[in-house]
Amino acid sequence: MSTSMPQKAMVLAAGLGKRMRPITETLPKPLVRVAGRTLIDWALDTLEKAGVGTAIVNVHYLADQMEAHLKSRQKPHVVISDERDGLMDSAGGVIKALPKLGAAPFFIVNADTFWLDRGTPNLERLALAWDGETMDILLMVADFEQATGHSGSVDFLMDADGRLTRAKKGDTGVIYAGAIILDPRIFAGAGSGPQSLNAYFDAAASKGRLFGMKMGGDWITVGTPDAIAPAEVVVAQRREKHVAQRRETDVAQRRETGVAGRRGQDEAG
């Protein structure tokens, strides 16, 4: 297992957002707001929290709006991968950006999903779980019960060691939750045209080198306009719970301070 945090990440943000119409007729999907934050900022906030230094963001649809928004971002440092000339799909976009991403393992995160950590941040856990000796790709995965806005089936079966295989219809398994660590060596010899990450998932699985890490917390995908409200409900509930926990902590600390003060008075007396 690794003890180092990848310092670069690819943020997949170039899609057309067709299912989010009519909102995306004039706005790129990553700039859609959920609970006061754009989807792209939810992703970048998570990377910043994990200490990732550089995020390479691919842009295509309404790219000028994306670039204007991202100019104000201080951390992580944002580097644009320009796909105005043509969409490259998920893997094609990563391959196009490889000169910017470098040769070390890096994160990939989707710009239309985000999550609310519970306990240790999930990207930290993903980095700790990464083992380049046995893995080509490590996916963050979620149970169906952790998901909000997911209308499909599960994606993978996961064994006791975390090894993933494709789920079949009717299987009970896990959902790919939009975050990855991979070694860029898997793209050796790859073509430069549009291509999907799914092909690389399948290639890694066929060699027993596709693994999953079960996330902690809530996973939220926002694919359509009617998915925004349920997402905001989950965020609000988590915020309310956090506020309540802070209040309980403050009350406990004041009580402890009061007890300590009384003890000091008694000893002085």
Side-chain angles (χ1 to χ4, degrees), residues 2-10 47 50-54 101 104-108 123-124 126-128 130 180-182:
S2 172
T3 57
S4 61
M5 175 67 65
Q7 284 303 296
K8 292 186 176 181
M10 180 80 193
L47 294 171
V52 175
T54 301
L101 288 161
F106 53 81
F107 289 116
I108 301 174
L123 289 188
E124 290 184 25
L126 204 64
L128 287 169
W130 171 255
I180 306 169
I181 293 181
L182 58 71

Side-chain angles (χ1 to χ4, degrees), residues 77-91:
H77 173 60
V78 173
V79 176
I80 298 296
S81 181
D82 195 332
E83 294 183 20
R84 283 177 173 87
D85 291 340
L87 277 171
M88 302 299 293
D89 206 340
S90 52

Side-chain angles (χ1 to χ4, degrees), residues 170-254:
D171 283 343
T172 300
V174 294
I175 304 163
Y176 163 51
I180 306 169
I181 293 181
L182 58 71
D183 193 311
R185 67 174 180 247
I186 67 172
F187 299 118
S192 59
Q195 49 194 296
S196 173
L197 280 170
N198 278 308
Y200 292 88
F201 294 170
D202 291 339
S206 71
K207 297 183 288 185
R209 295 183 62 85
L210 178 69
F211 284 77
M213 183 215 72
K214 189 77 67 69
M215 67 166 294
D218 300 293
W219 178 67
I220 300 169
T221 180
V222 186
T224 59
D226 59 8
I228 295 174
E232 292 184 328
V233 168
V234 174
V235 174
Q237 289 172 341
R238 285 292 298 274
R239 286 174 175 168
E240 289 171 3
K241 186 175 181 180
H242 178 71
V243 169
Q245 290 173 337
R246 287 290 301 272
R247 286 173 179 164
E248 289 176 3
T249 300
D250 289 345
V251 169
Q253 289 176 342
R254 286 197 295 269

Side-chain angles (χ1 to χ4, degrees), residues 8-93:
K8 292 186 176 181
M10 180 80 193
V11 183
L12 299 175
L16 299 175
K18 291 180 178 180
R19 293 193 303 133
M20 189 60 82
R21 291 175 179 170
I23 296 173
T24 50
E25 289 175 356
T26 57
L27 187 73
K29 185 177 179 181
L31 297 188
V32 172
R33 290 184 177 272
V34 175
R37 298 291 286 166
T38 66
L39 289 171
I40 189 75
D41 283 312
W42 278 106
L44 293 171
D45 290 348
T46 301
L47 294 171
E48 179 184 3
K49 183 179 178 181
V52 175
T54 301
I56 291 82
V57 181
N58 62 344
V59 298
H60 171 78
Y61 179 62
L62 300 176
D64 290 350
Q65 288 189 44
M66 289 291 296
E67 289 194 278
H69 178 82
L70 293 168
K71 279 182 181 178
S72 63
R73 188 85 198 193
Q74 299 299 312
K75 292 182 180 181
H77 173 60
V78 173
V79 176
I80 298 296
S81 181
D82 195 332
E83 294 183 20
R84 283 177 173 87
D85 291 340
L87 277 171
M88 302 299 293
D89 206 340
S90 52

